Amino acid sequence: MTGVPLRTAAGAVAVLAAVGIARETWFHLFSEPVWNLPAAMRAPRAEERYRAVRVAIPRSGRVGYVSDEPVTMRPDAPAPDEWGTWLYQEAQYALAPVVLVVGDTRTDIVLANLKHADHLAAVARRHGLRVVERFEDGSVALLRR
């Protein structure tokens, strides 16, 4: 039985190693430069934006969710702007195990999570809700019927 010549196997390993090193170099120096890490570590974590919200909502269950930005509901759907989806995912991560239900305004409490705080009154009015409590700079709020 004949196998792959040692020289060919060594060459293939060397090529794969070079590709791996190039990928890691690209990632650490250009894609996410390592010298940006200290600033990124000082930036506030996603949970900080929702710390006061967590105290004001139930520990579990469903909470309605509205925003002034569209939220992509299907992975294969083209999104006009990813900002709304990012806001939703950040809030869902920070407030878990509470389930945020996009567009559901029939729940006892509805979370408004906005890109622009000055849109709060219009968002609440559009859904027939009233503002109960504001957080952050007014870009996060609890609404009720």
Side-chain angles (χ1 to χ4, degrees), residues 37-54:
L37 281 177
M41 290 177 68
R42 284 190 303 273
R45 296 179 53 133
E47 302 92 85
E48 295 303 316
R49 176 177 162 101
Y50 304 97
R51 183 178 302 269
V53 176
R54 177 168 278 301

Side-chain angles (χ1 to χ4, degrees), residues 3-140:
V4 176
L6 186 59
R7 185 177 204 132
T8 304
V13 168
V15 167
L16 289 174
V19 168
I21 289 170
R23 179 183 176 277
E24 290 301 310
T25 300
W26 168 259
F27 180 76
H28 290 295
L29 297 179
F30 300 105
S31 176
E32 289 189 14
V34 75
W35 51 83
N36 289 344
L37 281 177
M41 290 177 68
R42 284 190 303 273
R45 296 179 53 133
E47 302 92 85
E48 295 303 316
R49 176 177 162 101
Y50 304 97
R51 183 178 302 269
V53 176
R54 177 168 278 301
V55 174
I57 63 174
R59 291 179 168 266
S60 63
R62 296 166 44 110
V63 170
Y65 180 90
V66 294
S67 182
D68 59 344
E69 293 288 322
V71 177
T72 303
M73 298 303 295
R74 293 185 358 240
D76 62 338
D81 182 7
E82 290 299 319
W83 189 262
T85 303
W86 181 82
L87 281 172
Y88 170 72
Q89 290 174 343
E90 179 185 64
Q92 182 62 79
Y93 170 79
L95 299 173
V98 171
V99 176
L100 299 176
V101 185
V102 176
D104 188 356
T105 59
R106 295 168 293 154
T107 58
D108 185 41
I109 298 173
V110 176
L111 178 73
N113 196 9
L114 310 170
K115 181 176 181 182
H116 305 285
D118 57 336
H119 293 171
L120 179 59
V123 168
R125 194 171 36 257
R126 183 176 338 126
H127 295 285
L129 302 168
R130 63 183 167 78
V131 177
V132 176
E133 193 171 354
R134 294 173 187 244
F135 303 96
E136 282 291 302
D137 56 356
S139 60
V140 179

